[in-house]
Amino acid sequence: MAAKASERRLRTPEEYRESLRDGRRVFYRGEAVADVTAHPVFRHAVEHASLDYAMAEDPATLELAVAPDGYSRYFHVPRSADDLLARSALIEAATRAGKTLVVLIKEIGTDALFSLLAMKRLVGEPYGARIDSFYERCRDGDLAVCVAQTDFKGDRSKGPSEQDNPDAYLRIVERRPDGIVVRGAKVHTSVSVNANEMIVLPTRAMTANDADYAVAFAVPLATPGLTLVASPYLSTKDKRPAEFPLSAERKMVETTTIFDDVFVPAERVFLAGEYEHAGELARGFVEFHRFTAISYKLPLVDALVGAGLLAARVNGLERAGHVRDKLAWLISWAETLRALTHHAAERCRQIEGIAVPDTLLVNIAKLQFALGIHTAFQYVQDIAGGLLVTYPAPEDLEHPDYGAALRRYLAAAGGASGAERLRVMNLISDLTAGEYGGYQAVLAIHAEGSIEAEKLTILAQYDRDGAINYARWLAGIDDARGSAS
Amino acid sequence: MAAKASERRLRTPEEYRESLRDGRRVFYRGEAVADVTAHPVFRHAVEHASLDYAMAEDPATLELAVAPDGYSRYFHVPRSADDLLARSALIEAATRAGKTLVVLIKEIGTDALFSLLAMKRLVGEPYGARIDSFYERCRDGDLAVCVAQTDFKGDRSKGPSEQDNPDAYLRIVERRPDGIVVRGAKVHTSVSVNANEMIVLPTRAMTANDADYAVAFAVPLATPGLTLVASPYLSTKDKRPAEFPLSAERKMVETTTIFDDVFVPAERVFLAGEYEHAGELARGFVEFHRFTAISYKLPLVDALVGAGLLAARVNGLERAGHVRDKLAWLISWAETLRALTHHAAERCRQIEGIAVPDTLLVNIAKLQFALGIHTAFQYVQDIAGGLLVTYPAPEDLEHPDYGAALRRYLAAAGGASGAERLRVMNLISDLTAGEYGGYQAVLAIHAEGSIEAEKLTILAQYDRDGAINYARWLAGIDDARGSAS
Amino acid sequence: MAAKASERRLRTPEEYRESLRDGRRVFYRGEAVADVTAHPVFRHAVEHASLDYAMAEDPATLELAVAPDGYSRYFHVPRSADDLLARSALIEAATRAGKTLVVLIKEIGTDALFSLLAMKRLVGEPYGARIDSFYERCRDGDLAVCVAQTDFKGDRSKGPSEQDNPDAYLRIVERRPDGIVVRGAKVHTSVSVNANEMIVLPTRAMTANDADYAVAFAVPLATPGLTLVASPYLSTKDKRPAEFPLSAERKMVETTTIFDDVFVPAERVFLAGEYEHAGELARGFVEFHRFTAISYKLPLVDALVGAGLLAARVNGLERAGHVRDKLAWLISWAETLRALTHHAAERCRQIEGIAVPDTLLVNIAKLQFALGIHTAFQYVQDIAGGLLVTYPAPEDLEHPDYGAALRRYLAAAGGASGAERLRVMNLISDLTAGEYGGYQAVLAIHAEGSIEAEKLTILAQYDRDGAINYARWLAGIDDARGSAS
Amino acid sequence: MAAKASERRLRTPEEYRESLRDGRRVFYRGEAVADVTAHPVFRHAVEHASLDYAMAEDPATLELAVAPDGYSRYFHVPRSADDLLARSALIEAATRAGKTLVVLIKEIGTDALFSLLAMKRLVGEPYGARIDSFYERCRDGDLAVCVAQTDFKGDRSKGPSEQDNPDAYLRIVERRPDGIVVRGAKVHTSVSVNANEMIVLPTRAMTANDADYAVAFAVPLATPGLTLVASPYLSTKDKRPAEFPLSAERKMVETTTIFDDVFVPAERVFLAGEYEHAGELARGFVEFHRFTAISYKLPLVDALVGAGLLAARVNGLERAGHVRDKLAWLISWAETLRALTHHAAERCRQIEGIAVPDTLLVNIAKLQFALGIHTAFQYVQDIAGGLLVTYPAPEDLEHPDYGAALRRYLAAAGGASGAERLRVMNLISDLTAGEYGGYQAVLAIHAEGSIEAEKLTILAQYDRDGAINYARWLAGIDDARGSAS
């Protein structure tokens, strides 16, 4: 029977927020941020992230958000297809409640924890025990955990140890009995300003020369020497929900994360020099994380379908041939992604007792999403019309002189009021034509591994021999048993 | 425990072939065909169709082809997702053995039978009992059953009773106590020349004025007044397997099927005037049949992937960036279709105790297949090279003067011999650049309902209200509970 | 020989700006704007529009911007392909100088003037003489002229006179001896807040019942009863050029334009009730304007190509296969549009002595642009990388503590400094991922007529009979002379 | 004033045919062909090729086919845009008369001759004089000239001299005072079986080690040691025009061309060892030939548009939204290619006094054609319907028993008779779904250089610096003059 959040295995949103006031070193537009929960932009990120905690208290979502053992379901190590489906459903529900923006504060960290747990035998001791211990610490503390993986890389045609800048990849600069000292930086670190712990992983396979770069560990965000430089992209500043229904109050922060000779105690180090495992750790996390990704994309694609349908309705275009064509495409795209996501869970395999979604299907889903989002934007914009970028302001509709006239002109064929129609336009503008849409489009291509990385994985995971053998038999080169005929 | 084919519940291929020598009236290029099993083209169709019988005798496929009750698994009414998956696997295996050409001789008939069984309550008595009885007759006799559905339609903007030509849709011209007399014609009737029974179904929804056109029944192929005019498209004549590895010996025949005042005994009539059910019968069959369709497309898409991989290998192009890109696309397309097919079975619903695959997913799979096949052809042709249409003949490679030189020039980088490379070219030429490829491409667009019909179904089946309500909430029009806010 | 701007046939930028302080009634976010040249957002629009005046003073562009007769070249009525090419070159050059944002302040007005001049014979007197006179007034005064065309339309399945709201289309509510009184509103009116004159045109073909809606005229912007409600979309507020190199200082304003019983003197009325000409006037303007459109899209597509090339360079990806593929696509798209634009000018036809670019080619160019822009965004974003939405702020690079480190990490393979690479990311982010990119994407689909309108025109303009006759001959239906064979 | 063909500067079709009975060594399916003009397949190729001669006799085409100097216009060295446009028009007209199959017998040879003439200064003497002399010989004799360029290449990752098989590329095996002896083979040699002369060119750039492979020359087809092995692809055998309106009587033959120690007299050698010019010769020909290619594709794309329009009409689908959408796409594709072709001629540049079409535009046109043809097939098949592969035979429509019924059923909404509709289906089937369509699709991708080769050329020809500099200015990296700011 499921334990209740009230048994206090889980933190409240307020406890979560309080935990972020710890002296972490964060900068925004060159200025130090004293308290991320009070910052005009970051407070929206904190509020958004609190959703993962609030869902565990809300009776409507409690069952989904809390595992039978009373811990957050995010920390529940998946052992079966059903576990994966439940995790996917939770991620989808949280993002749906988050108005198409993933919450991520528990999702990404547990992806990394699961991949580390699955690698325990590979990396061996003492790392295995440390991984167990760190996993339990995060679960028991109901912590928000972020992941720093991508290095700046410098010249991509060269490996870590071949760079002109020795710090182009994060590296160990000193090994002490009680731990290691690391130097370098990571880019694209999501939700770091409002996480409790940061897991650091290598970004690629490495060679013997790269041993100092083969490093994985975890640190609290307030660790000395750690600096978070937040990206100013997609500010919530001066945006009101009436005009920006998604992006006025929804926010995820990415940082450039600088390690200025940061000391990491031994018990928090999960890899330190075993270069032969760097690639596996890099890939392992990404594979877990891509399943999270395709789960959290579903509310976004649903929103695009719904926005298209709604725009067709308020514009009186539901019967137009080209509109129906575009809607059928949008639905097919969305439901294909949903089917691939669920099917990937159902076709999971076991690694060290952990259920891992089907890698091929996960990557195909991710690729189909990435290849489709710009077309989806085009279609929804096409149905919505030019008002997307020429709409009046919400205040205009309330103006004593001309507001009534505006509302009447904007009123739509299908009975939608002018105010409703304006809200639909504002939604679609926010969703597809402004910074929020651009943010989602760029994430589609680059987050959780780029399109090209997905293609590589698809080629690697597919049963190429099976397909080639079938073609050889069809061509009359081999007989049905695969022997040359 | 499964009964054996040797218990004689199933027919042998020879019995099947013998059953076709029954005096049916078939024409090919204006000439009467006395015996379809001996005709230079049709004999390949008969041979191909025999696969469905041969698989029930082959120990390697017996378990798949024969249901536990000893009947052909094709006749096994699906009651669960597992039944649907098994049926799909059988259809895929038969088509795979049939070198990417569907066998269909039992597939399509049972699709129609299942849809009739699912409609029993709808159409009521005496039709229900007749449907049961006819189903048992087909199953017990292990019969080959085809389906005639598509009418010529004349002016598509008008209904059956509004046409200038009253026979543009098949109709009842006389009602007798012991049966009905029908007149008209059907187009695109597959495998009719080598089936035992033909089920006839309406092609669309109808109105009260169309009552005479609302007709469904079954007749043996040798029924008086029934004329089959076979299409000459894609002849096997003069084709040798060495040059046309797929189409030299694989053949499916379509006919224009003319009903010249054909009498149908009452016990074989399943609808006769109840116009309000015509649409349901039309759609019901198509929906079952589309699941067959997406199952039998899988070997074709696998062949395209395999051909692309094999061409890349024999051309020494496996590392070329653009080739890898195209291969990743081919794999993603193929495996998306497979996932959608399996997932549609797993998400089936029950209608009158019959398991029906998820309609939305089936149609999306069918649409994605249809929209992708021309791109697949383009990519495979691109990887294969110009030799597809400039290759020498197999005889040339054996020529005493220049054969050895040709073989040496054709030999590929990856160790493939000249003869092997030529076979790969011939396979891809047959698969994508000649009549066989064209046949598959046109079927992709038009068979089992056109692309446009699939789009209609997708729009109708999707939970549009759910998506719209989510968008309305996001836009701030409604609160989370769906009430206007 | 060309007259100089110094001969005072042309206004200076300062004169232009001064002319806008005339008491026009403009609202922004519900607040009245006293002086558009001083408003924090509109002043950027005014500044941007001044380019059309500044170019006539700049020795480098004077020859292009000033016609041989000393008037602005924008007002030069095209008589030949060379005139059209020169006009296109001027529009392209102005937009290029305007950092991919069209200036439009003279472009769109002269499109409308030319189309009216071409319709003189059609609409007859007294309209013809008024058109001449108004054209001369604009040319001689070197005026900035905007166009209000699109009505709100209400229920699109109904005509103007069938609407529930009689003002859904702009209409004549009173006819006086000295002029007419009009009521209604127009949407999507570009550059109206900073124009001198507004030409008003009907938006579609009309019937006899719509006579009151068949109205065309011109009014100065400060006319009583005229209210401009500006869209808040794409504000320049708080944007700095270092972070938003395009949109921080470039701005075009669209308004909803309300006519509250506006009196128009007779000499400014160009159509008042002759419903049979409404369609021609609507289409005529759009056709001229689409040639302007494809001319002013060229700097934008060049910028996308250049941004892709530059991103490939600073990211060290110039040799990556998939990057080269995307670059080849971008170049082909851009140069196809340029070729179609120039070819459309070269294949112009004469209407009333005015050179009109080839309508079919203009519409094809416009359609190819609209269909490609989302793909272009996708490709450029793919090459640029995730930094597009995770970049640090320009201030961060200057920070005394971590600025130097950031600059070093950001430094690129090809010798680009960290600051340069950040500028490239900011450019591409502005160009494709934020409001400016969204603005351009939506304009691509909807401005100057929607994609669907372009398809209609393409179908109407193409020589369908020629193509059908060729197909009939190929099919053996007709002989080569077109007679049935 | 144009000389008349009757002045005997041009050969008659009969003289052309007679010239092919010269003892050339040709094989078809392993059998020697004594007389290509009498062979059941090749005679169609000869007949088709005769068009180039017949047009010079037909008063309707004489002016286009004969240059003012009385020679065939094909041999007219283009000196201006008008010359290129006339050449393009001639190629288009010949292909149009040839029912979408290019004639090529003069087109390809003159492409090679012009490219050699343009290289005269580059290759120097004695080659230049020989080129002049050979050009005059071909022109004066009104000869049919083919080109053998593509080598088998073996392992594509290695150069000619690095291959295991030293003959993978054609090479000089002996140098004598009076000429050279060559050994090897060429693939994809078009119209060789019915040409008079064969020009042989290198296929790629070479290094000093490849000197023996850097060879260009010309030989008559009946030269000892030269063997032509014809491809059996797309046989006219047993095809009747009523069913295959294009491919029953239209034929182009490709051969594998084997050089078994062929002696080439010195005066026919145009390059023999000057490896540094091999690449230029290879590219030069291809560039000329691609302009021919885009000219001869126009009737094919027109036929696809016309077929789509005609199918829409006979199927009563002219008003269907999705059909209009597809037709608009087809028209836009076709007319974009036409515009690019003409514009490429108009923007020609001069090389050694020869007008060379704009390389960038030619390659873009070729690429857009290649990328579009499969979509065009899909769309036309979609409009045409399933009858494409299920149609009855022409004989069936004449059958005394059921022919009248068939004709009535097939009769279409728009007044087209059943026989007409069948002809339309047969045309589209031939054009898109059978071997002829496949032939055209594969040629689209691979002939005159592959898609990938076109992309390389596009990247090389485009003014990348111009685009990059514009992007750098926009990004604020450089000021407007291109200096770093």
Side-chain angles (χ1 to χ4, degrees), chain C residues 6-320:
Chain C
S6 55
E7 292 176 20
R8 307 289 304 136
R9 286 190 159 174
L10 302 181
R11 295 195 291 178
T12 65
E14 181 45 44
E15 287 170 332
Y16 159 64
R17 284 191 291 268
E18 178 55 38
S19 72
L20 303 175
R21 299 181 195 109
D22 59 2
R24 59 189 60 201
R25 184 171 151 88
V26 179
F27 290 88
Y28 182 79
R29 293 188 176 279
E31 298 188 1
V33 176
D35 177 355
V36 296
T37 69
H39 183 270
V41 173
F42 297 165
R43 70 182 174 84
H44 288 122
V46 172
E47 199 58 42
H48 180 68
S50 301
L51 253 176
D52 268 353
Y53 293 94
M55 283 177 73
E57 298 192 328
D58 183 342
T61 50
L62 181 147
E63 195 167 357
L64 193 59
V66 184
D69 57 12
Y71 295 112
S72 165
R73 185 182 296 280
Y74 284 113
F75 288 100
H76 186 70
V77 180
R79 305 294 181 190
S80 65
D82 281 348
D83 280 351
L84 287 170
L85 288 170
R87 178 175 172 85
S88 179
L90 171 57
I91 294 169
E92 183 178 349
T95 312
R96 181 169 288 267
K99 297 199 171 173
T100 75
L101 184 67
V102 64
V103 179
L104 207 70
I105 204 77
K106 290 188 179 177
E107 291 87 328
I108 193 170
T110 49
D111 287 334
L113 288 169
F114 298 161
S115 72
L116 286 170
L117 289 172
M119 301 287 158
K120 276 194 307 182
R121 189 193 305 239
L122 182 78
V123 296
E125 293 306 329
Y127 300 132
R130 296 176 185 171
I131 290 168
D132 276 335
S133 168
F134 183 70
Y135 161 72
E136 284 163 19
R137 175 186 154 72
C138 294
R139 180 197 61 190
D140 296 355
D142 198 26
L143 300 183
V145 183
C146 69
V147 177
Q149 179 176 42
T150 311
D151 293 284
F152 271 93
K153 292 179 183 167
D155 182 343
R156 283 158 193 241
S157 64
K158 297 177 179 170
S161 56
E162 301 164 332
Q163 300 287 331
D164 291 342
N165 175 2
D167 304 332
Y169 288 74
L170 184 74
R171 63 173 171 142
I172 304 170
V173 291
E174 188 185 349
R175 293 163 192 268
R176 297 189 202 160
D178 58 341
I180 57 174
V181 177
V182 296
R183 184 187 301 161
K186 295 279 186 176
V187 69
H188 312 321
T189 319
S190 295
V191 299
S192 47
V193 302
N194 53 316
N196 300 116
E197 290 279 353
M198 171 184 284
I199 296 175
V200 179
L201 295 171
T203 199
R204 52 170 284 176
M206 295 186 185
T207 67
N209 291 330
D210 303 324
D212 287 343
Y213 299 89
V215 60
F217 58 86
V219 284
L221 269 298
T223 295
L226 189 64
T227 303
L228 308 176
V229 183
S231 174
Y233 191 81
L234 189 46
S235 165
T236 55
K237 196 158 161 256
D238 292 332
K239 288 182 176 164
R240 287 153 316 151
E243 195 172 338
F244 297 91
L246 305 180
S247 65
E249 299 182 335
R250 299 286 152 184
K251 177 68 189 162
M252 181 158 71
V253 183
E254 272 87 17
T255 62
T256 299
T257 308
I258 304 176
F259 296 79
D260 195 2
D261 291 0
V262 169
F263 173 71
V264 185
E267 68 270 19
R268 284 173 159 276
V269 176
F270 311 136
L271 196 79
E274 296 80 358
Y275 63 87
E276 66 274 23
H277 303 319
E280 205 59 37
L281 253 70
R283 272 191 301 279
F285 162 62
V286 170
E287 286 313 326
F288 269 93
H289 193 37
R290 281 188 191 145
F291 179 68
T292 287
I294 58 178
S295 299
Y296 82 63
K297 303 300 190 194
L298 297 178
L300 177 64
V301 299
D302 290 350
L304 286 162
V305 178
L309 288 163
L310 190 53
R313 182 166 295 175
V314 301
N315 285 340
L317 292 171
E318 282 178 302
R319 306 229 151 266

Side-chain angles (χ1 to χ4, degrees), chain A residues 96 245 306 324-325 331 336 343 346-347 364 368 420 423 427 455-456 462 467 470-475, chain B residues 96 245 306 324-325 331 336 342-343 346-347 364 368 423 427 455-456 462 467 470-475:
Chain A
R96 181 170 287 268
R324 292 174 63 84
D325 218 54
I331 293 169
T336 296
H343 205 55
E346 286 162 9
R347 299 289 156 105
I364 289 173
Q368 305 269 33
E420 256 184 57
R423 280 185 175 273
L427 170 64
K455 288 180 185 168
L456 277 177
Y462 181 71
Y470 184 48
R472 287 175 63 89
W473 175 65
L474 290 177
Chain B
R96 182 170 287 269
R324 293 174 62 86
D325 218 54
I331 293 169
T336 295
H342 292 173
H343 204 56
E346 288 162 8
R347 298 289 156 107
I364 289 173
Q368 305 269 32
R423 280 184 175 273
L427 170 64
K455 288 180 185 169
L456 277 178
Y462 180 72
Y470 185 47
R472 287 174 64 88
W473 175 65
L474 290 176

Side-chain angles (χ1 to χ4, degrees), chain D residues 292-336:
Chain D
T292 288
I294 57 178
S295 300
Y296 83 65
K297 302 301 191 194
L298 297 178
L300 177 64
V301 299
D302 289 350
L304 286 163
V305 178
L309 288 164
L310 190 52
R313 182 166 296 176
V314 302
N315 286 339
L317 292 170
E318 283 178 301
R319 306 228 153 266
H322 79 96
V323 170
R324 292 173 64 84
D325 218 53
K326 294 181 175 80
L327 292 172
W329 184 92
L330 287 164
I331 292 169
S332 297
W333 178 61
E335 292 301 301
T336 295

Side-chain angles (χ1 to χ4, degrees), chain C residues 96 245 306 324-325 331 336 343 346-347 364 368 420 423 427 455-456 462 467 470-475, chain D residues 96 245 306 324-325 331 336 343 346-347 364 368 420 423 427 455-456 462 467 470-475:
Chain C
R96 181 169 288 267
R324 293 173 63 84
D325 219 52
I331 293 169
T336 295
H343 205 56
E346 287 161 11
R347 297 289 155 104
I364 290 174
Q368 305 269 32
E420 255 185 56
R423 281 184 175 274
L427 169 64
K455 288 179 185 169
L456 277 178
Y462 181 71
Y470 185 48
R472 287 174 63 90
W473 174 65
L474 290 177
Chain D
R96 181 170 287 266
R324 292 173 64 84
D325 218 53
I331 292 169
T336 295
H343 204 56
E346 287 162 8
R347 298 289 156 104
I364 289 173
Q368 306 267 32
E420 257 184 55
R423 280 185 175 273
L427 170 64
K455 288 180 185 167
L456 277 177
Y462 181 72
Y470 185 47
R472 287 174 64 90
W473 174 64
L474 290 177

Side-chain angles (χ1 to χ4, degrees), chain B residues 165-455:
Chain B
N165 175 1
D167 304 332
Y169 288 74
L170 184 74
R171 63 174 171 142
I172 304 170
V173 290
E174 189 185 348
R175 292 162 193 269
R176 297 190 204 159
D178 57 342
I180 57 174
V181 177
V182 297
R183 184 186 299 161
K186 295 279 187 177
V187 68
H188 311 321
T189 320
S190 295
V191 300
S192 47
V193 302
N194 53 316
N196 301 117
E197 289 278 355
M198 172 183 284
I199 296 175
V200 178
L201 294 172
T203 199
R204 52 170 285 176
M206 297 187 185
T207 68
N209 291 331
D210 303 324
D212 288 342
Y213 298 89
V215 60
F217 58 87
V219 286
L221 269 297
T223 295
L226 189 63
T227 303
L228 308 175
V229 183
S231 173
Y233 191 82
L234 189 48
S235 167
T236 55
K237 198 161 160 253
D238 293 331
K239 287 182 175 164
R240 288 154 314 151
E243 196 173 336
F244 297 92
L246 304 180
S247 66
E249 298 181 336
R250 299 285 151 185
K251 177 68 189 163
M252 181 159 70
V253 183
E254 273 87 18
T255 61
T256 299
T257 308
I258 304 175
F259 295 79
D260 196 2
D261 291 0
V262 168
F263 173 71
V264 186
E267 68 270 19
R268 285 173 158 277
V269 176
F270 311 135
L271 195 79
E274 295 80 358
Y275 63 88
E276 67 273 24
H277 303 320
E280 205 58 37
L281 253 70
R283 272 192 302 277
F285 163 63
V286 170
E287 286 314 326
F288 270 93
H289 193 38
R290 280 188 191 145
F291 179 67
T292 288
I294 58 178
S295 300
Y296 82 65
K297 303 300 189 195
L298 298 178
L300 177 64
V301 299
D302 289 350
L304 286 163
V305 178
L309 288 163
L310 190 52
R313 183 167 295 175
V314 302
N315 286 340
L317 292 171
E318 283 178 301
R319 306 228 152 267
H322 79 96
V323 169
R324 293 174 62 86
D325 218 54
K326 292 180 175 81
L327 292 172
W329 184 92
L330 286 164
I331 293 169
S332 298
W333 177 62
E335 292 302 301
T336 295
L337 298 179
R338 177 165 276 111
L340 287 170
T341 302
H342 292 173
H343 204 56
E346 288 162 8
R347 298 289 156 107
C348 61
R349 70 191 196 287
Q350 298 283 326
I351 298 185
E352 304 283 326
I354 301 176
V356 181
D358 185 274
T359 305
L360 180 61
L361 292 176
V362 166
N363 278 275
I364 289 173
K366 186 75 177 40
L367 180 63
Q368 305 269 32
F369 169 73
L371 293 181
I373 193 169
H374 289 82
T375 301
F377 282 10
Q378 179 186 349
Y379 285 178
V380 174
Q381 289 168 355
D382 192 321
I383 300 169
L387 265 180
L388 287 182
V389 298
T390 69
Y391 57 74
E395 300 91 321
D396 288 318
L397 265 64
E398 304 304 322
H399 196 278
D401 291 0
Y402 58 83
L406 271 188
R407 292 196 302 274
R408 196 166 58 125
Y409 287 124
L410 281 169
S417 70
E420 256 184 55
R421 191 165 175 217
L422 180 58
R423 280 184 175 273
V424 174
M425 293 299 133
N426 284 336
L427 170 64
I428 295 176
S429 190
D430 205 10
L431 189 61
T432 72
E435 289 185 309
Y436 185 75
Y439 184 68
Q440 291 283 13
V442 173
L443 291 189
I445 297 172
H446 293 289
E448 306 102 21
S450 69
I451 284 180
E452 295 306 311
E454 285 146 21
K455 288 180 185 169

